[in-house]
Amino acid sequence: MLEGLRAQLKGRQFVPERVREKTIPKAGGKVRRLGIPTVADRVVQASLKLVLEPIFEADFKPCSYGFRPKRRAQDAIAEIHFLGSRTYEWVFEADITACFDEIDHTALMGRVRDRIGDKRVLSLVKAFLKAGVLSEDGVGRETITGTPQGGILSPLLANIALSVLDEHFTQKWEALGPEWTRAKLRRSGAPAMRIVRYADDFVVMIHGTPDDAEALWGEVGSDKFGVEPTCKALQVAPSTYYAAKRRSWSRRLGPCVTPRPSPGRAFGGLRGQAGAFGDWRRRRRPTWFRPRGASRCGPAPPQPPGGSPSETRCAGTPGPTRRGSLPGRGGGG
């Protein structure tokens, strides 16, 4: 099979098959539509991902955590907690409605062409986007928008399409200038915003007023982000709301909610208090510290039968003195 796929790819004769649609139930009575490609298509998609992922990883912003190597959901949660505990009082929470089904092909291919110049790779990506869907009742239909959720290449393509959100808020952050300028503007009342995105779910942490958060309804919902409908805002809440939700997040995603050190993080990697300060105490503990009652010479060796305690004392340790004698001069008569 691999030799045949290699020959088809070199001869530009490879044509992907329609993906098989499978619906699974979601919470609230909704269904999620998955697209299951064939084995041959999965092999070609995995090969494409190996080529494309390193190229686009160099462009992705550090505020994106979904479907990326060496990043996980706990890192996104910890970033939210980090910002929420540092004067980012308001949170704009939203998600992309039917993200994998509504991605605009024209906008997506435009972003891919900005980084990829090989026409063979571009034609393969476009062929997978236009492959079509075979529904559960056996009816085939064309795919005008979206990328099948369930393919190996789909998460990377979704990140490419949604990275425009990351770039938009990163540009707003960089427009505030260096750190001292940002601090001056924030003291004067200018809002500062940071986005944290995991796939199609994202929150915008806001240092400002509730009106600044409400203004994002129209800004994030504009057509320039290439998803139609673009987003559904869930709520605008104080950051203390997320502090209360950390306990439920820990139960669902695991106990580790502190970020791991990762390259490119805007605020660097943090460590939990127990790890950071505990290690510092262990490193900085004075050499003369020892528990009460412990000997500085270590545990005393076993005494020989009939031996006196003075024979087992370590060198340099003064022994007991008799009454009326001075230390170091021996016993007086």
Side-chain angles (χ1 to χ4, degrees):
M1 183 186 72
L2 295 179
E3 290 294 334
L5 284 177
R6 180 173 179 270
Q8 291 180 18
L9 290 173
K10 292 185 67 175
R12 300 190 182 185
Q13 300 175 352
F14 177 80
V15 178
E17 300 288 340
R18 294 178 182 268
V19 297
R20 180 183 176 184
E21 186 181 60
K22 178 65 178 179
T23 58
I24 58 176
K26 293 175 57 178
K30 300 180 180 180
V31 295
R32 185 188 304 275
R33 299 182 182 275
L34 301 180
I36 305 174
T38 62
V39 176
D41 292 351
R42 291 175 67 88
V43 172
V44 178
Q45 287 187 24
S47 303
L48 271 177
K49 183 182 177 183
L50 291 176
V51 174
L52 297 177
E53 188 174 54
I55 298 174
F56 286 98
E57 273 294 322
D59 297 336
F60 288 158
K61 303 300 180 181
C63 57
S64 170
Y65 293 91
F67 307 121
R68 295 183 61 186
K70 297 182 180 181
R71 287 173 175 262
R72 54 181 184 171
Q74 286 89 340
D75 295 336
I77 294 172
E79 185 74 12
I80 294 173
H81 174 65
F82 177 85
L83 295 173
S85 60
R86 284 160 178 80
T87 70
Y88 286 80
E89 300 93 352
W90 292 94
V91 178
F92 180 88
E93 180 184 3
D95 71 339
I96 305 298
T97 304
C99 171
F100 285 88
D101 299 331
E102 300 293 339
I103 293 178
D104 183 75
H105 289 177
T106 304
L108 174 59
M109 289 303 301
R111 295 185 65 82
V112 174
R113 288 191 187 96
D114 290 340
R115 295 290 284 136
I116 306 298
D118 194 327
K119 294 183 178 180
R120 294 172 297 179
V121 176
L122 294 174
S123 62
L124 280 175
V125 174
K126 188 174 182 179
F128 280 115
L129 291 175
K130 302 291 185 181
V133 177
L134 181 64
S135 61
E136 291 182 318
D137 54 0
V139 178
R141 66 174 185 270
E142 302 297 328
T143 50
I144 303 175
T145 60
T147 175
Q149 186 174 1
I152 296 178
L153 194 61
S154 297
L156 176 60
L157 295 179
N159 268 338
I160 295 173
L162 297 179
S163 60
V164 65
L165 274 172
D166 310 334
E167 295 171 0
H168 173 73
F169 284 97
T170 301
Q171 290 174 0
K172 293 185 65 174
W173 172 260
E174 294 174 350
L176 298 176
E179 183 178 359
W180 67 272
T181 307
R182 290 197 301 266
K184 182 178 180 180
L185 291 175
R186 289 168 66 174
R187 285 194 300 267
S188 64
M193 303 180 184
R194 303 290 293 176
I195 185 173
V196 181
R197 183 176 65 83
Y198 189 91
D200 58 339
D201 299 307
F202 66 94
V203 296
V204 181
M205 309 294 293
I206 303 165
H207 172 85
T209 64
D211 294 336
D212 298 327
E214 295 290 344
L216 290 176
W217 289 77
E219 180 179 345
V220 179
S222 59
D223 295 336
K224 67 178 180 180
F225 295 117
V227 182
E228 183 65 36
T230 48
C231 78
K232 175 186 66 178
L234 301 181
Q235 59 187 333
V236 176
S239 59
T240 53
Y241 168 78
Y242 280 85
K245 289 187 67 174
R246 288 188 71 223
R247 187 173 302 172
S248 63
W249 282 337
S250 300
R251 285 197 299 265
R252 286 185 296 165
L253 299 174
C256 179
V257 293
T258 54
R260 299 176 299 174
S262 57
R265 289 286 300 277
F267 293 94
L270 299 180
R271 303 173 62 186
Q273 291 185 356
F277 292 98
D279 293 348
W280 180 83
R281 289 194 187 102
R282 284 194 294 271
R283 290 195 305 269
R284 301 291 297 177
R285 175 171 292 179
T287 56
W288 45 262
F289 176 83
R290 60 183 181 275
R292 183 184 298 274
S295 173
R296 62 182 175 184
C297 298
Q303 299 181 8
S308 62
S310 61
E311 297 175 355
T312 60
R313 290 196 303 267
C314 55
T317 304
T321 59
R322 283 184 264 180
R323 182 177 298 177
S325 64
L326 294 177
R329 295 188 177 182

